[in-house]
Amino acid sequence: MDLRISDELLGTFAPIVVYWIYSGIYVVLGLFSENYRLHTKQEEDEKNLASKGAVVKGVILQQVVQAVVATLLFAVTGNDSQDTNQNASLLVSARQFVIAMLVIDTWQYFMHRYMHHNKFLYKHIHSQHHRLIVPYSFGALYNHPLEGLILDTIGGALSFLISGMSPRISIFFFSFATIKTVDDHCGLWLPGNLFHIFFNNNSAYHDVHHQLFGNKYNYSQPFFVMWDKILGTYMPYTLEKKVGGGFETRPCKDHKDD
């Protein structure tokens, strides 16, 4: 009896499992890391406009759509190139990773920015994500269903197709992208966090975007900040310790009043 799980099945459901495990770790860490929070627990409870129950339901809905699209994508692309791609060299896999990162970053930057500048789309779609004024880990994928489909699911499908990665490589790529997205929304600035060392796009960078002063800046997600810098939507900020503990992101004065 063959009990092996196919790469396609893992590619579909591994990122979902990773999402809840990794965000759960941050929930626990947040209970004991008051000195590393970007906002207090009280601010998280009082400022956010969506209940945690609504957030969980919204994320699950997006993940259901994500799983359906992934299943269809794997079925359509088939196994034609799977045999040759599964044993791709480390160099080829690294190249596919980088291409996929650039594709998803480019797609999400322009779609995300357009949803902010189009008043109808912001009011009726993207504003749902910004109900979380104080981001937290398992709210990373809390979006309007249409936004989840356009930004995350279609963006992921494009990165998969354009990079030419196999279902096996996609398991690792989308699990990594999921971890990075959760990390960006975790609301914590923990010492030794490798994402903060290797990526300028991190929890503090994205926290700026969720605040009123940064609403039209720092659109880039989830990996690099290149499009913000190239197109003038990058907001420099400082990360300062608060008197009562924790950190605060503060914009540079010359951008705050723009």
PDB file of all heavy atoms in Angstrom, residues 37-51:
ATOM      1  N   ARG A  37       7.230  44.411  21.208  1.00  0.00           N
ATOM      2  CA  ARG A  37       6.051  44.682  20.398  1.00  0.00           C
ATOM      3  C   ARG A  37       6.146  46.064  19.750  1.00  0.00           C
ATOM      4  O   ARG A  37       6.681  47.004  20.342  1.00  0.00           O
ATOM      5  CB  ARG A  37       4.781  44.615  21.249  1.00  0.00           C
ATOM      6  CG  ARG A  37       4.477  43.229  21.827  1.00  0.00           C
ATOM      7  CD  ARG A  37       3.222  43.278  22.678  1.00  0.00           C
ATOM      8  NE  ARG A  37       2.049  43.533  21.844  1.00  0.00           N
ATOM      9  CZ  ARG A  37       1.224  42.581  21.431  1.00  0.00           C
ATOM     10  NH1 ARG A  37       1.412  41.337  21.785  1.00  0.00           N
ATOM     11  NH2 ARG A  37       0.184  42.883  20.672  1.00  0.00           N
ATOM     12  N   LEU A  38       5.596  46.189  18.537  1.00  0.00           N
ATOM     13  CA  LEU A  38       5.516  47.482  17.872  1.00  0.00           C
ATOM     14  C   LEU A  38       4.286  48.257  18.345  1.00  0.00           C
ATOM     15  O   LEU A  38       4.209  49.470  18.165  1.00  0.00           O
ATOM     16  CB  LEU A  38       5.467  47.290  16.353  1.00  0.00           C
ATOM     17  CG  LEU A  38       6.702  46.611  15.738  1.00  0.00           C
ATOM     18  CD1 LEU A  38       6.490  46.380  14.242  1.00  0.00           C
ATOM     19  CD2 LEU A  38       7.954  47.431  15.981  1.00  0.00           C
ATOM     20  N   HIS A  39       3.322  47.561  18.913  1.00  0.00           N
ATOM     21  CA  HIS A  39       2.134  48.166  19.519  1.00  0.00           C
ATOM     22  C   HIS A  39       1.793  47.338  20.743  1.00  0.00           C
ATOM     23  O   HIS A  39       2.052  46.133  20.791  1.00  0.00           O
ATOM     24  CB  HIS A  39       0.939  48.151  18.553  1.00  0.00           C
ATOM     25  CG  HIS A  39       1.182  48.916  17.290  1.00  0.00           C
ATOM     26  ND1 HIS A  39       0.919  50.263  17.172  1.00  0.00           N
ATOM     27  CD2 HIS A  39       1.678  48.515  16.093  1.00  0.00           C
ATOM     28  CE1 HIS A  39       1.233  50.658  15.952  1.00  0.00           C
ATOM     29  NE2 HIS A  39       1.695  49.627  15.279  1.00  0.00           N
ATOM     30  N   THR A  40       1.190  47.946  21.720  1.00  0.00           N
ATOM     31  CA  THR A  40       0.821  47.214  22.927  1.00  0.00           C
ATOM     32  C   THR A  40      -0.357  46.283  22.642  1.00  0.00           C
ATOM     33  O   THR A  40      -1.085  46.459  21.657  1.00  0.00           O
ATOM     34  CB  THR A  40       0.430  48.175  24.063  1.00  0.00           C
ATOM     35  OG1 THR A  40      -0.771  48.875  23.681  1.00  0.00           O
ATOM     36  CG2 THR A  40       1.546  49.171  24.349  1.00  0.00           C
ATOM     37  N   LYS A  41      -0.543  45.335  23.511  1.00  0.00           N
ATOM     38  CA  LYS A  41      -1.682  44.427  23.384  1.00  0.00           C
ATOM     39  C   LYS A  41      -2.987  45.214  23.499  1.00  0.00           C
ATOM     40  O   LYS A  41      -3.970  44.901  22.807  1.00  0.00           O
ATOM     41  CB  LYS A  41      -1.625  43.365  24.491  1.00  0.00           C
ATOM     42  CG  LYS A  41      -2.668  42.271  24.365  1.00  0.00           C
ATOM     43  CD  LYS A  41      -2.380  41.416  23.154  1.00  0.00           C
ATOM     44  CE  LYS A  41      -3.284  40.178  23.131  1.00  0.00           C
ATOM     45  NZ  LYS A  41      -4.720  40.505  23.020  1.00  0.00           N
ATOM     46  N   GLN A  42      -2.995  46.234  24.324  1.00  0.00           N
ATOM     47  CA  GLN A  42      -4.190  47.066  24.469  1.00  0.00           C
ATOM     48  C   GLN A  42      -4.516  47.778  23.155  1.00  0.00           C
ATOM     49  O   GLN A  42      -5.678  47.861  22.747  1.00  0.00           O
ATOM     50  CB  GLN A  42      -3.995  48.092  25.586  1.00  0.00           C
ATOM     51  CG  GLN A  42      -5.217  48.957  25.843  1.00  0.00           C
ATOM     52  CD  GLN A  42      -5.027  49.941  26.985  1.00  0.00           C
ATOM     53  OE1 GLN A  42      -4.009  49.935  27.652  1.00  0.00           O
ATOM     54  NE2 GLN A  42      -6.015  50.798  27.207  1.00  0.00           N
ATOM     55  N   GLU A  43      -3.492  48.299  22.489  1.00  0.00           N
ATOM     56  CA  GLU A  43      -3.703  48.957  21.192  1.00  0.00           C
ATOM     57  C   GLU A  43      -4.228  47.956  20.168  1.00  0.00           C
ATOM     58  O   GLU A  43      -5.099  48.289  19.350  1.00  0.00           O
ATOM     59  CB  GLU A  43      -2.400  49.587  20.708  1.00  0.00           C
ATOM     60  CG  GLU A  43      -1.974  50.816  21.481  1.00  0.00           C
ATOM     61  CD  GLU A  43      -0.615  51.336  21.034  1.00  0.00           C
ATOM     62  OE1 GLU A  43       0.258  50.516  20.688  1.00  0.00           O
ATOM     63  OE2 GLU A  43      -0.438  52.561  21.028  1.00  0.00           O
ATOM     64  N   GLU A  44      -3.703  46.763  20.205  1.00  0.00           N
ATOM     65  CA  GLU A  44      -4.160  45.724  19.280  1.00  0.00           C
ATOM     66  C   GLU A  44      -5.644  45.447  19.475  1.00  0.00           C
ATOM     67  O   GLU A  44      -6.399  45.303  18.504  1.00  0.00           O
ATOM     68  CB  GLU A  44      -3.352  44.446  19.498  1.00  0.00           C
ATOM     69  CG  GLU A  44      -3.763  43.287  18.599  1.00  0.00           C
ATOM     70  CD  GLU A  44      -2.983  42.026  18.902  1.00  0.00           C
ATOM     71  OE1 GLU A  44      -1.739  42.083  18.912  1.00  0.00           O
ATOM     72  OE2 GLU A  44      -3.618  40.971  19.138  1.00  0.00           O
ATOM     73  N   ASP A  45      -6.065  45.377  20.719  1.00  0.00           N
ATOM     74  CA  ASP A  45      -7.471  45.076  21.012  1.00  0.00           C
ATOM     75  C   ASP A  45      -8.398  46.255  20.732  1.00  0.00           C
ATOM     76  O   ASP A  45      -9.542  46.069  20.305  1.00  0.00           O
ATOM     77  CB  ASP A  45      -7.615  44.654  22.480  1.00  0.00           C
ATOM     78  CG  ASP A  45      -6.912  43.330  22.779  1.00  0.00           C
ATOM     79  OD1 ASP A  45      -6.740  42.535  21.847  1.00  0.00           O
ATOM     80  OD2 ASP A  45      -6.532  43.125  23.952  1.00  0.00           O
ATOM     81  N   GLU A  46      -7.913  47.485  20.971  1.00  0.00           N
ATOM     82  CA  GLU A  46      -8.785  48.661  20.882  1.00  0.00           C
ATOM     83  C   GLU A  46      -8.825  49.306  19.496  1.00  0.00           C
ATOM     84  O   GLU A  46      -9.859  49.822  19.078  1.00  0.00           O
ATOM     85  CB  GLU A  46      -8.353  49.696  21.924  1.00  0.00           C
ATOM     86  CG  GLU A  46      -8.585  49.257  23.364  1.00  0.00           C
ATOM     87  CD  GLU A  46      -8.153  50.310  24.370  1.00  0.00           C
ATOM     88  OE1 GLU A  46      -7.554  51.324  23.948  1.00  0.00           O
ATOM     89  OE2 GLU A  46      -8.417  50.125  25.580  1.00  0.00           O
ATOM     90  N   LYS A  47      -7.703  49.292  18.788  1.00  0.00           N
ATOM     91  CA  LYS A  47      -7.634  50.013  17.519  1.00  0.00           C
ATOM     92  C   LYS A  47      -8.167  49.211  16.337  1.00  0.00           C
ATOM     93  O   LYS A  47      -8.698  49.786  15.381  1.00  0.00           O
ATOM     94  CB  LYS A  47      -6.192  50.446  17.236  1.00  0.00           C
ATOM     95  CG  LYS A  47      -5.689  51.569  18.133  1.00  0.00           C
ATOM     96  CD  LYS A  47      -4.301  52.045  17.686  1.00  0.00           C
ATOM     97  CE  LYS A  47      -3.831  53.230  18.505  1.00  0.00           C
ATOM     98  NZ  LYS A  47      -2.507  53.716  18.057  1.00  0.00           N
ATOM     99  N   ASN A  48      -8.016  47.898  16.386  1.00  0.00           N
ATOM    100  CA  ASN A  48      -8.432  47.092  15.241  1.00  0.00           C
ATOM    101  C   ASN A  48      -9.946  47.064  15.098  1.00  0.00           C
ATOM    102  O   ASN A  48     -10.680  47.013  16.087  1.00  0.00           O
ATOM    103  CB  ASN A  48      -7.877  45.672  15.366  1.00  0.00           C
ATOM    104  CG  ASN A  48      -6.390  45.628  15.080  1.00  0.00           C
ATOM    105  OD1 ASN A  48      -5.855  46.505  14.400  1.00  0.00           O
ATOM    106  ND2 ASN A  48      -5.708  44.623  15.601  1.00  0.00           N
ATOM    107  N   LEU A  49     -10.396  47.074  13.856  1.00  0.00           N
ATOM    108  CA  LEU A  49     -11.819  47.193  13.550  1.00  0.00           C
ATOM    109  C   LEU A  49     -12.455  45.860  13.172  1.00  0.00           C
ATOM    110  O   LEU A  49     -13.627  45.836  12.793  1.00  0.00           O
ATOM    111  CB  LEU A  49     -12.008  48.207  12.412  1.00  0.00           C
ATOM    112  CG  LEU A  49     -11.394  49.591  12.657  1.00  0.00           C
ATOM    113  CD1 LEU A  49     -11.580  50.478  11.435  1.00  0.00           C
ATOM    114  CD2 LEU A  49     -12.015  50.243  13.900  1.00  0.00           C
ATOM    115  N   ALA A  50     -11.685  44.794  13.253  1.00  0.00           N
ATOM    116  CA  ALA A  50     -12.216  43.461  12.953  1.00  0.00           C
ATOM    117  C   ALA A  50     -11.915  42.545  14.126  1.00  0.00           C
ATOM    118  O   ALA A  50     -10.815  42.579  14.686  1.00  0.00           O
ATOM    119  CB  ALA A  50     -11.578  42.909  11.683  1.00  0.00           C
ATOM    120  N   SER A  51     -12.894  41.741  14.497  1.00  0.00           N
ATOM    121  CA  SER A  51     -12.687  40.803  15.600  1.00  0.00           C
ATOM    122  C   SER A  51     -11.774  39.672  15.147  1.00  0.00           C
ATOM    123  O   SER A  51     -11.659  39.382  13.947  1.00  0.00           O
ATOM    124  CB  SER A  51     -14.026  40.230  16.057  1.00  0.00           C
ATOM    125  OG  SER A  51     -14.564  39.367  15.064  1.00  0.00           O
TER     126      SER A  51
END
